[in-house]
Amino acid sequence: MVTIEKNKLGEWYSSEEFEKLYTYLEGNLGAEWTREKTIFRVWAPTAEKVFVNLYSGGFTDEKEAIEQIVMKPYRNGVWTVEKEGNLHGTFYTYLVLSADGEWEGCDPYAKAVGVNGERAMVVDLDSTNPEGWEMDKSPFQNKNVTDAIIYEAHIRDLTVHKDSGIKNKGKFLGLAEEGTINSKGDNTGLDYIADLGVTHVHLLPFFDYASVDETKDGQYNWGYDPKNFFVPEGSYATDPYHGDIRIREAKKMVAAFHQKGIGVIMDVVFNHVYDAETFCFNNIVPGYFSRIDNDGIYSNGSICGNDTASERSMVREYIVQNVLYWVDEYHIDGFRFDLVGLLDIRTINEIVERVHTIRPEVLFYGEGWTMPTNVTKAGIKMATQKNSYLTPRFAYFNDTMRNLLRGRNSDTNERGYVNGGTGRADCLKSNLIGIPYWACSPGQVVNYVSCHDDLTLFDKLQVAEPKADRTTLLQYNRLAAGIVFAAAGIPFLQAGEELLRRKVNADGTVNSNSYDAGDSINAISWDCLQDPDCRKMRDYYKGLIAFRKNHPVLRLEDIRDIRDRITFYDIQQGEETICLIDCKGVAGESARKLCMIFNPEREKKEVFLPKGNWEIHVSDDKAGTENLGEADGRVTVLPVSCMILVQR
């Protein structure tokens, strides 16, 4: 072992010499179980001695280890030891002795943990597989990324409300329940999402996070606080104390969605950890996982206290192995990367390449905002929107579309295209064809008007125009949704957006950051379906989804093909946007042409149509695959609405 001054460790970690000596790429770190023995492997290049401590329980107040085993140096900084016998269910920690002292804690590569993730657990993963798991597969195979329609949700939000009809409230198993209904007999939970027609459910973080106490029920957090990256969150399990139970129940949830034809997207947070000082990786190899300067100051572009040093080889390998593990062991169908602009492009491209080699249908997207961070190497480029050309198979949230349609989040009073903003029609055109200024292709663009962050769509519309009546707000909402589902790219909606979801505090103010606000603010009340406005909006979204799925021309990936097919009609006055789409030659397309008309004006518009007979499929508050009426020559488009017509 080379001795380095503590304030020089960061430079040493990021040097070519260190990476040549200590990069380990065999992909087998952690506890590898068989009935006959378990092999423990941990990467600890700065350690002088390493031990495995075995425990009978996962509580850290059970102090006495049942056995301590000396580990031996292997290669590239890895220490290893074999322990004979069937250790399934045995808890363990690593005890690491270095020049700075000693530390005991969890395995960074733990696949199972005890309550609150303080101790790792040896696990027979095959024993956690639900019945038929070996036959489980993605329902999204042989599809284009632009065929995806994504529904973003939090596990508790979907299941915990008293009128959900779900037994396992707030749990993985709650989303595996079929036949759940509200007090009036409407579908809820899993069946509701399947009936809506989306292709994927995007679940907010369900890896093991640190911001809730798993020994207490009813706590709430979105979960952007990583603790154990390879392990499901215990608060979503019926038993957080036995490490295998949370694994089995998470798999049952995934299988239930797959059986309904829905893929599961996992929200992952690699840009920071909950507490860098106590994070096990940083304690085993002091400060290696994080960007820290020579004065011991953590880079904090994430505004979460620390940034991850993804540019270092063993951090990159850790992230890559983590994603591969969730794909292989849990059959995850996609990954949404929180603040991916803090990660380097090499790491992102390696993840995509390695995963697509075995599962080409897996989706990847994230928040590509440009954020300040102090990388530890020269020449590192980050996975941001402006660098999208360097990550061609990775998509980014299109905040250009969001801000265009509803106004910026940073200015709650600002209005967008759908609710009175002016001068935005040209920007809308580039977004309709799937290439906002930063993107290279529609496959890199996730179109949305609301997600878990900031105000819900309906709250934003109301705050921006507090005197608007409900009818007008509903018009704004429908127009925004119509544009998102008509645009090239990948449509995305927040759970409950289609139900006019609001997040209102006890004092009547709206909540724009409900990450820990609890069930009273966040839980979806399924009885809202009895409100005629909510039901009609749900039906409208359902119709838009069905229409999009029925017309492959809206889901093209090649920007050249889209440009050749679409014609925009210039409008001399007003903000309305009209375009004609030639559908000829698109595989599976039943239409010859589509005509899309978006009218954000407060007055109706008479629009002259290209020659031929047209069927109206989207108009005012109705949408779907059925013919709502015929049109020939010209058509009247109602105020603040969209109309989409089909020519056979």
Side-chain angles (χ1 to χ4, degrees):
M1 188 186 82
V2 178
T3 301
I4 303 292
E5 294 179 31
K6 189 173 183 178
N7 66 342
K8 298 292 185 180
L9 275 176
E11 296 176 14
W12 169 234
Y13 290 154
S14 294
S15 68
E16 290 185 13
E17 182 182 5
F18 183 90
E19 296 204 337
K20 183 177 180 180
L21 286 171
Y22 297 120
T23 298
Y24 181 82
L25 301 178
E26 294 186 25
N28 57 5
L29 295 172
E32 183 180 339
W33 174 91
T34 65
R35 290 188 183 277
E36 293 72 31
K37 65 182 179 181
T38 295
I39 305 173
F40 297 92
R41 301 182 185 91
V42 62
W43 187 70
T46 61
E48 297 177 349
K49 294 181 181 179
V50 184
F51 303 87
V52 179
N53 286 343
L54 301 182
Y55 294 90
S56 59
F59 277 115
T60 53
D61 57 0
E62 297 176 5
K63 299 295 185 184
E64 293 298 320
I66 57 178
E67 186 175 358
Q68 184 175 89
I69 310 169
V70 178
M71 302 187 78
K72 297 179 180 179
Y74 177 50
R75 62 168 172 262
N76 302 115
V78 172
W79 298 70
T80 186
V81 69
E82 295 183 6
K83 171 64 177 176
E84 293 185 354
N86 185 350
L87 297 187
H88 171 68
T90 301
F91 293 89
Y92 72 97
T93 61
Y94 291 128
L95 176 62
V96 180
L97 278 61
S98 67
D100 293 327
E102 67 177 54
W103 173 88
E104 182 182 4
C106 198
D107 181 356
Y109 285 83
K111 307 306 189 294
V113 295
V115 68
N116 284 328
E118 295 298 318
R119 287 180 181 164
M121 191 189 92
V122 179
V123 63
D124 168 11
L125 287 167
D126 287 345
S127 71
T128 67
N129 293 341
E131 184 177 355
W133 186 245
E134 66 279 359
M135 301 299 293
D136 179 77
K137 61 181 180 180
S138 171
F140 198 68
Q141 295 181 22
N142 303 314
K143 302 281 189 179
N144 295 328
V145 296
T146 46
D147 290 325
I149 301 169
I150 301 171
Y151 191 76
E152 180 209 44
H154 184 278
I155 291 170
R156 284 190 69 88
D157 293 1
L158 288 176
T159 61
V160 80
H161 201 278
K162 60 182 177 58
D163 60 34
S164 70
I166 292 172
K167 296 177 181 177
N168 292 284
K169 298 184 187 303
K171 307 298 181 184
F172 292 123
L173 292 183
L175 284 180
E177 293 180 30
E178 294 184 89
T180 62
I181 55 176
N182 66 8
S183 63
K184 303 297 182 181
D186 301 302
N187 288 339
T188 65
L190 174 64
D191 287 347
Y192 171 88
I193 297 170
D195 182 65
L196 192 61
V198 298
T199 66
H200 292 77
V201 60
H202 159 163
L203 296 176
L204 269 61
F206 61 91
F207 54 75
D208 185 52
Y209 56 83
S211 46
V212 301
D213 183 348
E214 295 173 359
T215 68
K216 300 175 183 177
D217 198 16
Q219 296 192 57
Y220 188 95
N221 203 283
W222 282 344
Y224 292 92
D225 303 304
K227 184 168 185 176
N228 293 295
F229 282 93
F230 288 80
V231 182
E233 165 59 24
S235 66
Y236 297 141
T238 59
D239 178 353
Y241 296 89
H242 298 88
D244 53 339
I245 292 177
R246 64 177 76 186
I247 298 173
R248 185 178 300 109
E249 292 177 352
K251 289 178 178 178
K252 284 184 178 180
M253 177 189 70
V254 173
F257 276 112
H258 285 178
Q259 289 164 13
K260 294 289 187 181
I262 300 170
V264 176
I265 294 171
M266 184 179 192
D267 204 324
V268 290
V269 184
F270 294 118
N271 64 85
H272 71 275
V273 296
Y274 177 68
D275 183 353
E277 291 288 337
T278 61
F279 180 50
C280 50
F281 202 130
N282 270 342
N283 281 289
I284 292 173
V285 190
Y288 179 84
F289 197 83
S290 303
R291 294 174 182 145
I292 309 173
D293 66 19
N294 288 341
D295 295 322
I297 305 300
Y298 287 85
S299 176
N300 190 25
S302 66
I303 320 298
C304 294
N306 60 92
D307 298 338
T308 296
S310 63
E311 64 276 14
R312 290 177 176 152
S313 63
M314 286 302 289
V315 178
R316 176 178 297 119
E317 177 68 2
Y318 183 84
I319 296 172
V320 170
Q321 289 298 327
N322 182 264
V323 175
L324 286 168
Y325 176 74
W326 285 100
V327 168
D328 179 58
E329 189 64 37
Y330 290 86
H331 303 179
I332 298 299
D333 306 286
F335 297 85
R336 178 268 192 191
F337 284 67
D338 181 64
L339 300 182
V340 73
L342 293 172
L343 304 180
D344 68 284
I345 60 171
R346 178 179 170 183
T347 296
I348 293 303
N349 285 334
E350 188 168 331
I351 291 168
V352 174
E353 181 179 356
R354 300 267 308 262
V355 171
H356 280 177
T357 298
I358 56 174
R359 290 269 307 277
E361 74 278 6
V362 173
L363 303 179
F364 292 97
Y365 60 98
E367 297 175 299
W369 328 134
T370 299
M371 307 180 77
T373 187
N374 299 320
V375 294
T376 67
K377 297 181 180 181
I380 300 297
K381 293 185 177 182
M382 315 307 282
T384 59
Q385 286 178 340
K386 71 176 184 179
N387 288 333
S388 63
Y389 68 100
L390 297 171
T391 57
R393 291 183 290 170
F394 190 94
Y396 298 90
F397 280 100
N398 186 9
D399 59 327
T400 309
M401 170 78 89
R402 180 200 66 197
N403 296 343
L404 161 71
L405 295 183
R406 62 178 252 181
R408 292 171 297 170
N409 284 334
S410 58
D411 184 352
T412 56
N413 297 316
E414 182 178 88
R415 301 184 191 182
Y417 179 83
V418 305
N419 59 335
T422 58
R424 302 175 185 236
D426 286 341
C427 183
L428 176 61
K429 292 175 183 178
S430 64
N431 279 272
L432 283 172
I433 63 175
I435 50 165
Y437 69 93
W438 49 264
C440 300
S441 74
Q444 289 189 300
V445 178
V446 177
N447 292 316
Y448 73 115
V449 281
S450 72
C451 66
H452 68 276
D453 280 327
D454 299 295
L455 297 171
T456 69
L457 174 59
F458 208 70
D459 280 341
K460 167 65 174 174
L461 295 173
Q462 193 160 58
V463 169
E465 192 175 350
K467 294 183 179 180
D469 59 32
R470 188 170 176 84
T471 298
T472 301
L473 294 173
L474 294 173
Q475 290 174 317
Y476 295 159
N477 192 313
R478 286 192 297 268
L479 180 55
I483 293 171
V484 166
F485 284 98
I490 305 166
F492 171 109
L493 70 151
Q494 179 187 16
E497 179 187 311
E498 79 288 3
L499 297 173
L500 309 178
R501 185 178 186 180
R502 303 200 64 207
K503 295 184 180 181
V504 182
N505 299 316
D507 62 1
T509 60
V510 294
N511 191 312
S512 63
N513 189 20
S514 64
Y515 74 98
D516 65 349
D519 298 330
S520 62
I521 302 295
N522 290 290
I524 292 177
S525 172
W526 292 101
D527 274 0
C528 71
L529 284 162
Q530 295 308 300
D531 181 321
D533 289 339
C534 289
R535 184 177 285 273
K536 287 186 71 173
M537 190 64 75
R538 186 278 312 271
D539 290 343
Y540 185 73
Y541 272 76
K542 183 177 175 180
L544 290 173
I545 290 168
F547 183 83
R548 182 179 179 87
K549 292 170 80 171
N550 199 47
H551 290 284
V553 73
L554 299 177
R555 311 193 307 271
L556 296 173
E557 281 192 279
D558 191 329
I559 185 57
R560 294 166 298 183
D561 199 10
I562 295 171
R563 277 180 170 150
D564 290 344
R565 294 178 180 281
I566 194 164
T567 302
F568 287 99
Y569 290 85
D570 290 331
I571 304 298
Q572 298 302 316
Q573 294 180 341
E575 294 290 321
E576 64 266 31
T577 301
I578 305 171
C579 62
L580 184 69
I581 303 176
D582 180 5
C583 306
K584 183 179 179 181
V586 176
E589 179 59 68
S590 60
R592 289 195 297 119
K593 293 179 181 179
L594 298 183
C595 183
M596 302 195 300
I597 307 166
F598 304 103
N599 177 24
E601 303 284 353
R602 305 299 175 95
E603 58 186 29
K604 64 183 179 181
K605 297 288 182 178
E606 296 290 329
V607 175
F608 289 94
L609 297 171
K611 291 181 180 180
N613 296 319
W614 294 85
E615 298 176 2
I616 300 172
H617 283 245
V618 178
S619 180
D620 191 22
D621 61 356
K622 293 182 174 60
T625 58
E626 295 181 1
N627 184 359
L628 301 176
E630 305 286 338
D632 184 4
R634 64 181 182 179
V635 68
T636 300
V637 183
L638 294 175
V640 194
S641 71
C642 71
M643 180 178 286
I644 303 180
L645 305 97
V646 176
Q647 190 174 90
R648 302 295 182 184

